[in-house]
Amino acid sequence: ILNVEQSPQSLHVQEGDSTNFTCSFPSSNFYALHWYRWETAKSPEALFVMTLNGDEKKKGRISATLNTKEGYSYLYIKGSQPEDSATYLCASYGSGNTGKLIFGQGTTLQVKP
Amino acid sequence: NAGVTQTPKFQVLKTGQSMTLQCAQDMNHNSMYWYRQDPGMGLRLIYYSASEGTTDKGEVPNGYNVSRLNKREFSLRLESAAPSQTSVYFCASSRRGISNQPQHFGDGTRLSIL
């Protein structure tokens, strides 16, 4: 069973603060790492899919980096806004690359105005 | 663009009743998935269909059956509902199983078993 772990479990920041979360995953048989944003009462929406070691992706104020050799990815939010409040999920494929995406438990971000 | 459509959005069942959750996608995706989401547990895969005509068990398949009716539709059936199956169920699809393309999720079905 592949363990995808995220930290911290929850985070409270003030508007304007920059923040980052961590996703760790087993580095063997790596294929891709997914990041999703999940707002309350909505469905998860894809932020990034990353495949290459050293990859960096950016979408507005949100960016992510990937280290496949050591098995971690960071998600950064620059100048957090209240609308960034959501749960951020990362996911990676199970051993044997069967196509089954395994999700971490998520980091819940609350941005206070 | 409808994307992934799930029906119903809400359902209350009594223990022992059966029901089928429906999912359809209009993105011509090959792969479809059923997840359940429980507090503190994240998203857990119930069943997965890599392509039309194939299905495979995920992490928590017990108590469920699935049917990949055609390329568009993937249904999840609870034959004899139990209170432990109270959860929010999400259907998702992707271009293909293992991929650098993201999964696209439906709006979820909130299911309560009394």
Side-chain angles (χ1 to χ4, degrees):
Chain A
I1 301 292
L2 176 74
N3 282 330
V4 177
E5 297 182 356
Q6 294 186 246
S7 63
Q9 188 172 354
S10 64
L11 199 54
H12 292 78
V13 302
Q14 291 294 133
E15 182 175 355
D17 288 350
S18 293
T19 187
N20 65 85
F21 329 132
T22 303
C23 173
S24 62
F25 52 89
S27 55
S28 60
N29 295 321
F30 174 82
Y31 187 86
L33 191 284
H34 294 222
W35 280 103
Y36 293 84
R37 170 191 161 88
W38 193 0
E39 292 181 69
T40 302
K42 294 187 178 181
S43 56
E45 290 186 354
L47 284 172
F48 308 113
V49 180
M50 308 173 77
T51 57
L52 299 175
N53 185 46
D55 211 2
E56 290 189 33
K57 296 217 172 184
K58 188 173 181 181
K59 189 174 186 176
R61 293 179 290 98
I62 303 176
S63 59
T65 61
L66 180 66
N67 183 322
T68 61
K69 293 182 179 181
E70 295 183 38
Y72 65 83
S73 176
Y74 294 137
L75 189 78
Y76 300 92
I77 302 179
K78 184 178 179 181
S80 302
Q81 299 296 310
E83 57 265 31
D84 295 328
S85 298
T87 295
Y88 293 83
L89 298 172
C90 70
S92 191
Y93 289 99
S95 59
N97 291 326
T98 59
K100 300 174 186 177
L101 202 59
I102 307 298
F103 284 83
Q105 292 187 358
T107 293
T108 299
L109 173 67
Q110 189 72 35
V111 182
K112 299 176 183 177
Chain B
N1 291 335
V4 178
T5 303
Q6 289 184 237
T7 55
K9 293 192 184 307
F10 304 95
Q11 185 71 48
V12 178
L13 293 177
K14 293 181 180 178
T15 297
Q17 286 186 313
S18 62
M19 82 160 294
T20 300
L21 308 186
Q22 306 287 353
C23 175
Q25 52 89 11
D26 62 1
M27 295 174 282
N28 201 34
H29 285 169
N30 289 307
S31 299
M32 298 184 73
Y33 314 82
W34 275 106
Y35 294 94
R36 60 178 289 173
Q37 187 256 328
D38 302 295
M41 303 292 287
L43 284 170
R44 293 185 293 169
L45 183 67
I46 305 172
Y47 268 96
Y48 156 55
S49 172
S51 60
E52 185 179 352
T54 68
T55 61
D56 196 7
K57 294 179 180 179
E59 186 183 354
V60 288
N62 292 343
Y64 305 95
N65 285 304
V66 290
S67 295
R68 185 72 183 269
L69 304 170
N70 48 54
K71 192 172 185 178
R72 290 187 65 250
E73 298 172 288
F74 189 38
S75 62
L76 179 72
R77 182 161 178 84
L78 286 72
E79 290 291 351
S80 179
S84 60
Q85 294 177 304
T86 293
S87 188
V88 182
Y89 291 85
F90 286 95
C91 177
S93 70
S94 65
R95 190 168 294 179
R96 59 182 187 275
I98 185 160
S99 170
N100 61 357
Q101 298 297 313
Q103 293 188 4
H104 297 261
F105 287 83
D107 289 337
T109 295
R110 194 171 296 272
L111 183 62
S112 294
I113 316 294
L114 304 178

